[in-house]
Amino acid sequence: MNLDRFSSSFDQNRDRIVSQWMELLAFPSISTEPAHHRDCLACAEWLVRHLHSIGFDNARLLQTPGKPVVFAERPGRPGKPVVLFYGHYDVQPVDPVSEWRTPPFTPTLLDGRMRARGAQDNKGQHFYALKALETLIRDDRLQATVKIIIEGEEECGSHGISATMTEWRERLQADLLLITDIAMDGPRTPTITMGLRGLIHLTAELSGPLRDLHSGAHGGVAPNPALELPRLLATLHARDGVIAVPGFYDGVQPISPEEKVLALSMPFDPELYRRQTGVPPTGGERGRPVAERLGLRPCIDVNGIHAGFDGPGVKTIIPAKARAKLTARLAAGQDPALCLAALEAHLRQHAPEGLTLTIVEKGVGGPGFRLSPQSEWIARAAATLRGMYNTEPTRRWEGASIPVIAGLARVSGAEPLLVGFGLEEDSIHAPNESFALEQFRNGYLYVASLLAGL
Ligand SMILES: [Zn+2]
């Protein structure tokens, strides 16, 4: 049985694997901090050398306008699928550094957990895949063609890879886009992510008064940006929570009967949600189950509103301007550029008389996507996970966005498969990030078993 072989292979090589993983974690490859640019390059170069050592003879760096991308390719047997594996070598900043119990770039294996920045996100979750590939290559059990792309700017917007990936179209062609940069619902709940939402953002400002006006001298006469902005924002939704922006829903992929059944079967406890967040799950489009509202439908949110006086006491003014920051999460099928244009047009159409609406900034994070529940890759992943956990994996639609994934899927022509082994307890992006060696081992077993079957 495959799993037993891979398990014993991991256990025999455990010490070596752990020490290599620690070498990778020791690079402070914080992409957003210019002071760490060289550390990012050193980390990328280490990965290139490492890929050479495990059988990817042509591993190299591809240049982008930002950080270089690590790329490698190993041809498989003719007629076998082409797998593109994605990961990122950059990590989040570490402040507040005083809250770390062990230094973030001195990897420490303690009580079965690797403690370091990047231990899970994403060095842990891509290194187990590289180790699985190493095993398959060594045992001559890798028949698929495997391409590897590990970028260095995921934590700060993936700008380099996004700007360059269309030039690499030929090189990136694949059948399966394998992604492990994702969590599971619980330690015994293997989870297949069936889709991600897209993202757009916009900052709107209402202005008009030349300066803050005296509310005694002008109240009831001058239009007030701080009063009018919320009124404008309220036109974005109808009373039943449905988005009222004309054209915004264009292209939204309909929910298939099979998806409806899956969505209704997703476990959701409103009381637990209320305890965890402080609010009941009553936002969004009324009458739709939570799973639909979260992953299958779009939403528009106000992230912040700023206007006027907020100090102690009283200040009698009509503020000169008011500003709101908005984001929208997009469902599969929506065109982000069209959604952004529709949102802007709606705001302009409803802008109050006497004030000026300015779109201060706007942008597209990327489109959303959704996989067919009948996907062959999902069936294979589900079978692999059933073998490991003796239970049916949960399917869920992720409400968040990983814009680079949708872009890579489009450019490579590959179908994304999102299964990872992260857990809430890993504290990614926070002080004391860690990753259980057990979860690292599970990730290794999953990738090795999945790819051995291709
Ligand atoms: Zn991250």
Side-chain angles (χ1 to χ4, degrees), residues 3 24 63 95 103 180 197 274 287 327 358 365 391 415 418 443:
L3 267 180
L24 173 61
Q63 297 306 323
D95 33 337
T180 53
R197 287 199 287 191
R274 202 187 54 75
T327 50
T358 309
T391 180
E415 192 175 316
L418 297 107

Side-chain angles (χ1 to χ4, degrees), residues 88 90-92 120-122 154-155 181 428-429 433:
H88 63 91
D90 64 323
V91 297
Q92 283 276 316
Q120 194 252 74
D121 181 17
N122 164 258
E154 197 274 342
E155 302 292 8
D181 186 15
I428 62 170
H429 294 211
E433 177 176 354

Side-chain angles (χ1 to χ4, degrees), residues 68-414:
V69 163
V70 176
F71 180 78
E73 178 176 10
R74 186 178 181 278
R77 311 241 163 104
K80 291 293 181 181
V82 180
V83 178
L84 175 62
F85 176 76
Y86 164 85
H88 63 91
Y89 64 82
D90 64 323
V91 297
Q92 283 276 316
V94 293
D95 33 337
V97 79
S98 60
E99 288 186 20
W100 286 76
R101 290 186 287 275
T102 59
F105 296 109
T106 308
T108 310
L109 187 62
L110 199 69
D111 305 327
R113 299 188 72 84
M114 183 68 80
R115 290 145 206 278
R117 171 57 86 228
Q120 194 252 74
D121 181 17
N122 164 258
K123 288 173 176 173
Q125 293 231 72
H126 74 240
F127 199 61
Y128 63 60
L130 303 191
K131 292 294 98 177
L133 285 164
E134 174 185 56
T135 302
L136 294 171
I137 293 170
R138 188 197 58 209
D139 297 352
D140 193 24
R141 300 191 57 195
L142 185 60
Q143 302 200 10
T145 291
V146 173
K147 303 175 177 184
I148 294 174
I149 191 155
I150 306 177
E151 65 150 321
E153 292 171 293
E154 197 274 342
E155 302 292 8
C156 61
S158 297
H159 297 297
I161 188 174
S162 301
T164 326
M165 66 168 96
T166 47
E167 292 169 27
W168 304 332
R169 186 177 292 275
E170 277 305 304
R171 192 179 276 153
L172 296 181
Q173 287 309 297
D175 302 301
L176 169 65
L177 175 56
L178 185 62
I179 293 145
T180 53
D181 186 15
I182 200 147
M184 54 197 283
D185 283 352
R188 299 302 308 162
T189 314
T191 309
I192 302 177
T193 298
M194 303 291 292
L196 299 166
R197 287 199 287 191
L199 180 67
I200 56 174
H201 58 87
L202 172 157
T203 303
E205 186 176 280
L206 275 185
S207 59
L210 296 174
R211 56 189 175 277
D212 290 352
L213 301 175
H214 190 294
S215 70
H218 300 280
V221 178
N224 183 334
L227 264 178
E228 297 298 336
L229 182 65
R231 222 197 295 272
L232 174 59
L233 296 176
T235 65
L236 294 172
H237 295 91
R239 276 185 173 278
D240 54 4
V242 171
I243 295 169
V245 176
F248 196 85
Y249 284 112
D250 287 0
V252 168
Q253 196 174 305
I255 302 169
S256 71
E258 199 174 355
E259 287 174 321
K260 271 217 181 296
V261 172
L262 269 176
L264 284 173
S265 73
M266 281 171 78
F268 181 79
D269 178 351
E271 191 42 42
L272 178 66
Y273 184 86
R274 202 187 54 75
R275 278 207 305 278
Q276 286 173 338
T277 63
V279 284
T282 53
E285 297 167 296
R286 213 151 296 161
R288 286 186 185 270
V290 167
E292 282 188 25
R293 278 182 277 147
L294 190 61
L296 301 168
R297 299 289 297 172
C299 65
I300 300 177
D301 273 294
V302 177
N303 315 119
I305 302 183
H306 300 274
F309 177 66
D310 189 34
V314 179
K315 188 182 184 195
T316 48
I317 57 163
I318 291 170
K321 56 188 174 189
R323 190 179 266 222
K325 292 186 88 73
L326 275 68
T327 50
R329 301 285 172 173
L330 305 182
Q334 285 178 291
D335 179 329
L338 292 183
C339 288
L340 194 56
L343 182 58
E344 183 174 348
H346 174 95
L347 291 171
R348 291 202 182 284
Q349 204 206 325
H350 291 80
E353 204 186 333
L355 295 176
T356 304
L357 175 74
T358 309
I359 303 301
V360 179
E361 66 79 35
K362 59 181 175 176
V364 164
F369 69 87
R370 233 156 68 219
L371 303 174
S372 159
Q374 273 112 16
S375 149
E376 176 211 344
W377 301 113
I378 287 180
R380 283 176 179 273
T384 305
L385 293 168
R386 269 196 303 272
M388 291 170 61
Y389 290 90
N390 288 317
T391 180
E392 187 59 32
T394 298
R395 269 81 160 165
R396 71 136 188 242
W397 294 279
E398 174 66 50
S401 314
I402 314 178
V404 67
I405 303 299
L408 271 178
R410 200 174 52 244
V411 169
S412 66

